[in-house]
Amino acid sequence: MNKPTRTNRKSASMASRLIQFRVVLSLLGLIVFAAAWPFSQQLKLDRSITAMFSPTDSTLVDYQTLQNSFGGNAVAIMVYPDADLMSNEGLRRSDAIASEVRQIAGVDGILSPSTLNAAVEKIRPGSFFRSETDVPGLARRDDIVARGIEHLFAGYTHSDDHRLAAVVVMLSPQHPPEAIESLQTIASKLHDQYEAITEPGVVVGEPVLIHDGFNLIERDGRKLTTVTLILLSIVVLVTLMDLRFVALTGLVVVWSIVVTEASLVLLGLNQSLVSTIMPAIITVIAVAAVLHLGTKFQDARAKGLSRYDATWRSFSLLIVPILWTCLTDAAGFAALGSSRILPVRQFGAMIAIASIAVFVAIILFAGVTMMLPELSFGKSLHRMQRRTTRAISRRCTLVAAAFVSRRKSAIAAAIVLLGVSVIGTWQAEPETSFLNNFRSDSEIVLAYDQVEQQFGGAGVWDILLPAPQSLTRDYLRQVLMIERDLRGIDLDGTKLTKVLSMADAEYVVGKTPILKYAPPSLRMTGMRATMPEFVDALLNSADTRPRRLRIMLRSEEQLPAEAKTRLIAEVQRIVDEHTQADAWTSAFETAPDSGPIVTGYYVMMSRLVSQLVGDQWRCLGFAGVLVWLLLWMATRSIRLATAALLPNLLPAFVVLATVGWIGGKINMGAAMIAAVSIGLTIDGSVHLLAIYRRYRKHGHPITVAVTHAAGSVGVPILLATCALVFGFSILSTSEFIPTATFGTLVAATLLLGTLVNLTLLPACIAVVDREKSR
């Protein structure tokens, strides 16, 4: 009689010590959370375009050369209607608007019709004898200099018909987001301030696109996180009918987000363009783990086990699969570290850290939460839910059995589909226009349409040419020849809409009788006195080493990817051809110590997506290898690891190929799907393999083990997938097309991945596994 009593006491003592240990773990988790919270609040979103490239990337190095040579170089253009622009009143309005813009923090300089008018008035001698009622200097048709400057800047500061005016704003490289917002506010209120301005103004330019894109991405990230967490919490509640697991879901998600953000701050990383969806990815990983734990816990409770025994059994069966799931998630996302795009590499590191944080949170909080008093409700609903769960599980078993019975045909069809999809993905065309990342009816696209139709191209980019310390007529003549050939580019209708440099301005000013015979250096000095901000933006000072001259280019932003790439290449060819000629070299007293550079936002954004699309193959390769190695370590079977790889590669290729087949383009959202999808779909594979191996160890035949494993994981996987598909589909309504594309493709990949894991994966396992049952 004493022996059972001592055993019961020993068991109770062990349970008590285990509970105490789990309470200590939970307190430790709360302490870590409290310590991490202040650091997590310091995480910032880096909005600069330079944050998109690796520090050693040649595209970024060229752009930084532009920054170092000319300081403020990010160009935004505020355009507004003014039918009386070339009157004294119109130019006074221009001056008032320009003065208001100049006060904005982050504005290094401006160029406007009033600036040009003031320059003309200073250049032309005797202008101070004219009265206020005279025609403004810029509007004098009988003045060759006024006509030259007006024509030179048409398309920059005013339209050809003089019905649209613009303030060209040169922003500092590190301008705050508030600078763009202030410009947009000023533009929107112009028609209220001035009677002659009948419509609100608009603000365009690559800095504006970047700013608006980040705003939309931040908003979409918050929306996705909120919707995903709510939907998955509902799924947990409906699936388990127990509020403890809903609380555990929230606790794990919040703890993992805060700890991950604190880790990023301590590692010196910032959030960037692609990392705002990080909380949603954390929610996906956390909910999948909670659902598996909850399902196993309730199965144990239904068999009559106590809370302590059910918790112990759930942990003993699932903690290793959950560990391998989190590790494979981390490996899939860590593969993004092979990308050439810095934010993508950082995003991969973030999710890798977050995956480990989710596992740690499960260890810290799951045990004590599961041993709390029952918080289940609705016993009749609970019974109905269990009947539904058993029915779904049986159907998953039957479907898996059907595929296993036809496994060779299923695998052959999958291999053919994979091959066709790889070819389709390879042929998909990249989207290089950043403007095309916005919906056609969005305000920014409508503004660009207006500017491109009436002002010429809204894409702004630059050529940096080496310049001698003292500008000579021969050198300026060579620059004008380069510009002549640039203006002559016509690639099946694709051309530059504007080419402008100090050589043009110097040529116009040289028409002034008093300055006609002056050396170019003297005319440059005069222009620097009349338009200092404009001259400083196009020619650095004579004591700067190396000295550079800047040619500002304009072209259409909404060009097809191939046309834009060809245009950039043709500009580079013309510049190289001229600067390698003997006539160019002879314009320098000594050999130039630097070469020409074609750069700017237009070039950077064109190359960004091209690099990202090219990186998807490298990242996918790394993700496949890393996940395969971890699956091999988890299953200790090369065959099983290989069997799991095909079902996890197929969904990404099918989805991306479908984009190409329906005529879509691979944008930033689509280019990340390949590697990301492996991290998102691997969960079902890991748990199915773990259950399959457990069945096999108990002596079950291969077909029985694999079909029943599919039935066991089917319910939590299907329910989580339904919620995730709906949650990510919410992003399809985003105004930022890469976000909408990412949400749609993730939803499609998750759905296809789940179906493949429950059908094709069992067939693959049945083919490759030849071990005898034990």
Side-chain angles (χ1 to χ4, degrees):
M1 293 294 292
N2 291 335
K3 187 174 181 180
T5 302
R6 285 197 301 271
T7 302
N8 292 338
R9 288 176 180 175
K10 184 177 180 180
S11 178
S13 177
M14 290 178 60
S16 176
R17 286 197 296 271
L18 184 59
I19 292 173
Q20 291 174 2
F21 176 69
R22 296 197 179 280
V23 169
V24 171
L25 283 179
S26 298
L27 291 175
L28 177 61
L30 295 176
I31 293 172
V32 172
F33 180 86
W37 175 262
F39 291 99
S40 68
Q41 301 307 298
Q42 301 174 25
L43 186 65
K44 298 178 180 179
L45 179 64
D46 192 339
R47 292 170 170 262
S48 65
I49 191 173
T50 56
M52 306 293 287
F53 293 87
S54 169
T56 58
D57 192 298
S58 60
T59 302
L60 177 59
V61 172
D62 289 344
Y63 183 71
Q64 287 174 333
T65 301
L66 175 66
Q67 288 183 320
N68 296 333
S69 299
F70 296 100
N73 54 71
V75 178
I77 306 174
M78 179 192 295
V79 180
Y80 62 92
D82 191 339
D84 298 324
L85 174 62
M86 287 303 176
S87 66
N88 285 310
E89 285 297 322
L91 291 171
R92 275 194 285 268
R93 280 191 295 272
S94 172
D95 186 59
I97 295 169
S99 298
E100 187 176 2
V101 170
R102 192 179 280 109
Q103 303 303 314
I104 297 174
V107 173
D108 280 355
I110 60 98
L111 185 66
S112 68
S114 61
T115 308
L116 300 180
N117 184 67
V120 171
E121 295 282 6
K122 290 180 181 179
I123 291 171
R124 300 302 284 160
S127 61
F128 52 85
F129 291 113
R130 297 185 177 92
S131 65
E132 286 287 332
T133 58
D134 285 341
V135 176
L138 187 62
R140 295 177 193 137
R141 298 293 85 196
D142 59 343
D143 189 328
I144 188 172
V145 174
R147 289 202 312 271
I149 290 181
E150 185 276 329
H151 176 73
L152 185 62
F153 289 94
Y156 270 104
T157 60
H158 56 277
S159 60
D160 288 327
D161 60 5
H162 297 164
R163 301 186 67 84
L164 287 177
V167 179
V168 180
V169 185
M170 286 163 278
L171 298 164
S172 65
Q174 303 300 326
H175 63 272
E178 292 77 18
I180 301 295
E181 294 164 7
S182 298
L183 285 173
Q184 292 171 329
T185 300
I186 292 173
S188 66
K189 295 180 178 179
L190 289 178
H191 68 299
D192 295 327
Q193 292 179 273
Y194 304 98
E195 291 184 4
I197 300 177
T198 56
E199 297 177 3
V202 297
V203 183
V204 299
E206 273 75 8
V208 183
L209 292 178
I210 298 293
H211 173 271
D212 288 1
F214 270 105
N215 281 350
L216 292 175
I217 288 171
E218 280 191 282
R219 185 190 69 187
D220 293 337
R222 290 192 296 267
K223 181 196 296 185
L224 176 62
T225 301
T226 303
V227 171
T228 303
L229 184 58
I230 291 174
L231 285 175
L232 289 179
S233 297
I234 293 173
V235 167
V236 172
L237 184 61
V238 171
T239 303
L240 304 176
M241 293 294 177
D242 194 331
L243 292 174
R244 289 176 300 176
F245 291 98
V246 177
L248 177 60
T249 300
L251 189 58
V252 170
V253 169
V254 173
W255 190 91
S256 301
I257 291 174
V258 170
V259 170
T260 301
E261 290 179 346
S263 301
L264 298 179
V265 171
L266 294 175
L267 292 172
L269 301 179
N270 292 319
Q271 278 193 317
S272 58
L273 187 68
V274 296
S275 59
T276 52
I277 61 172
M278 179 184 68
I281 302 297
I282 290 176
T283 304
V284 172
I285 299 170
V287 168
V290 171
L291 275 174
H292 285 291
L293 268 178
T295 302
K296 188 60 65 179
F297 175 84
Q298 288 201 335
D299 286 344
R301 291 287 285 153
K303 294 176 181 178
L305 297 181
S306 65
R307 288 200 306 271
Y308 163 75
D309 291 333
T311 301
W312 176 256
R313 178 174 175 79
S314 302
F315 264 86
S316 63
L317 292 177
L318 290 179
I319 200 62
V320 173
I322 289 175
L323 170 62
W324 286 112
T325 297
C326 291
L327 288 176
T328 49
D329 285 335
F333 284 97
L336 296 174
S338 62
S339 172
R340 291 169 291 178
I341 307 300
L342 184 60
V344 175
R345 294 208 303 267
Q346 291 179 339
F347 176 67
M350 291 175 186
I351 305 301
I353 294 171
S355 301
I356 304 304
V358 167
F359 177 74
V360 174
I362 292 289
I363 294 293
L364 292 174
F365 301 110
V368 71
T369 305
M370 292 162 68
M371 286 190 286
L372 289 173
E374 301 283 355
L375 292 175
S376 59
F377 60 93
K379 292 185 178 180
S380 59
L381 290 175
H382 190 69
R383 287 193 295 269
M384 184 177 67
Q385 175 264 337
R386 290 193 62 79
R387 286 196 299 270
T388 304
T389 298
R390 286 194 292 268
I392 295 174
S393 180
R394 284 195 297 270
R395 282 172 174 76
C396 289
T397 302
L398 293 174
V399 170
F403 272 80
V404 169
S405 64
R406 301 173 179 84
R407 48 188 174 269
K408 292 184 178 179
S409 300
I411 293 173
I415 292 174
V416 171
L417 180 59
L418 180 62
V420 173
S421 300
V422 169
I423 296 173
T425 303
W426 187 268
Q427 295 176 344
E429 185 179 352
E431 176 60 78
T432 60
S433 173
F434 198 80
L435 182 62
N436 289 340
N437 289 327
F438 298 85
R439 295 191 182 276
S440 58
D441 58 350
S442 63
E443 292 183 6
I444 186 68
V445 172
L446 296 177
Y448 260 88
D449 288 342
Q450 177 185 351
V451 172
E452 294 214 334
Q453 290 171 8
Q454 303 183 47
F455 258 61
V460 180
W461 43 311
D462 305 276
I463 300 171
L464 299 186
L465 295 175
Q469 299 308 117
S470 178
L471 300 187
T472 63
R473 286 187 172 88
D474 288 342
Y475 173 78
L476 293 173
R477 189 179 303 114
Q478 290 298 315
V479 174
L480 290 174
M481 291 176 64
I482 293 175
E483 294 186 49
R484 178 202 62 195
D485 289 352
L486 291 173
R487 294 187 180 104
I489 293 175
D490 190 342
L491 304 173
D492 300 326
T494 300
K495 58 184 70 176
L496 296 172
T497 59
K498 197 70 179 178
V499 180
L500 175 65
S501 77
M502 281 302 302
D504 300 299
E506 192 275 340
Y507 177 79
V508 171
V509 172
K511 298 295 184 179
T512 308
I514 196 172
L515 296 175
K516 185 175 183 179
Y517 300 102
S521 58
L522 180 59
R523 292 200 287 264
M524 294 290 181
T525 302
M527 281 189 289
R528 196 179 293 275
T530 56
M531 294 187 295
E533 295 167 343
F534 170 69
V535 175
D536 289 341
L538 293 181
L539 178 68
N540 55 15
S541 60
D543 57 355
T544 305
R545 298 290 189 279
R547 197 175 197 198
R548 299 181 189 275
L549 181 142
R550 177 182 185 182
I551 301 178
M552 295 182 71
L553 307 177
R554 290 268 295 280
S555 58
E556 293 181 10
E557 177 66 38
Q558 293 177 305
L559 287 176
E562 183 180 355
K564 184 176 291 188
T565 302
R566 288 175 60 203
L567 180 61
I568 294 172
E570 180 64 12
V571 168
Q572 185 73 62
R573 186 195 66 79
I574 290 175
V575 172
D576 290 342
E577 183 179 280
H578 276 276
T579 54
Q580 292 170 8
D582 293 336
W584 174 264
T585 306
S586 63
F588 292 79
E589 293 182 1
T590 59
D593 52 4
S594 62
I597 296 173
V598 178
T599 185
Y601 267 34
Y602 189 83
V603 177
M604 295 181 75
M605 296 311 301
S606 297
R607 292 175 178 169
L608 178 65
V609 178
S610 297
Q611 289 185 3
L612 191 58
V613 172
D615 287 345
Q616 69 175 338
W617 298 100
R618 182 187 298 108
C619 294
L620 180 60
F622 275 100
V625 171
L626 289 175
V627 169
W628 181 81
L629 288 173
L630 285 171
L631 288 172
W632 180 17
M633 294 170 62
T635 61
R636 296 188 292 277
S637 169
I638 293 179
R639 289 181 175 181
L640 291 179
T642 305
L645 199 57
L646 174 61
N648 284 283
L649 289 175
L650 184 61
F653 281 111
V654 170
V655 168
L656 286 175
T658 303
V659 172
W661 291 332
I662 63 177
K665 294 184 178 181
I666 303 297
N667 57 29
M668 289 185 292
M672 292 176 56
I673 288 297
V676 169
S677 64
I678 293 182
L680 291 176
T681 60
I682 198 67
D683 173 80
S685 300
V686 173
H687 283 279
L688 190 147
L689 287 171
I691 295 175
Y692 168 75
R693 292 179 68 243
R694 191 158 60 245
Y695 275 118
R696 291 286 288 146
K697 287 181 179 179
H698 286 82
H700 294 284
I702 290 175
T703 55
V704 173
V706 74
T707 54
H708 281 71
S712 297
V713 301
V715 174
I717 290 178
L718 285 173
L719 290 173
T721 299
C722 290
L724 289 174
V725 166
F726 185 79
F728 277 97
S729 297
I730 294 294
L731 292 182
S732 63
T733 61
S734 173
E735 291 182 42
F736 194 63
I737 292 179
T739 302
T741 303
F742 182 80
T744 303
L745 296 187
V746 166
T749 303
L750 284 170
L751 181 60
L752 186 57
T754 296
L755 296 178
V756 167
N757 271 322
L758 296 177
T759 55
L760 183 60
L761 179 57
C764 291
I765 293 173
V767 167
V768 302
D769 195 5
R770 290 289 183 267
E771 296 179 8
K772 296 180 179 180
S773 60
R774 290 180 293 170

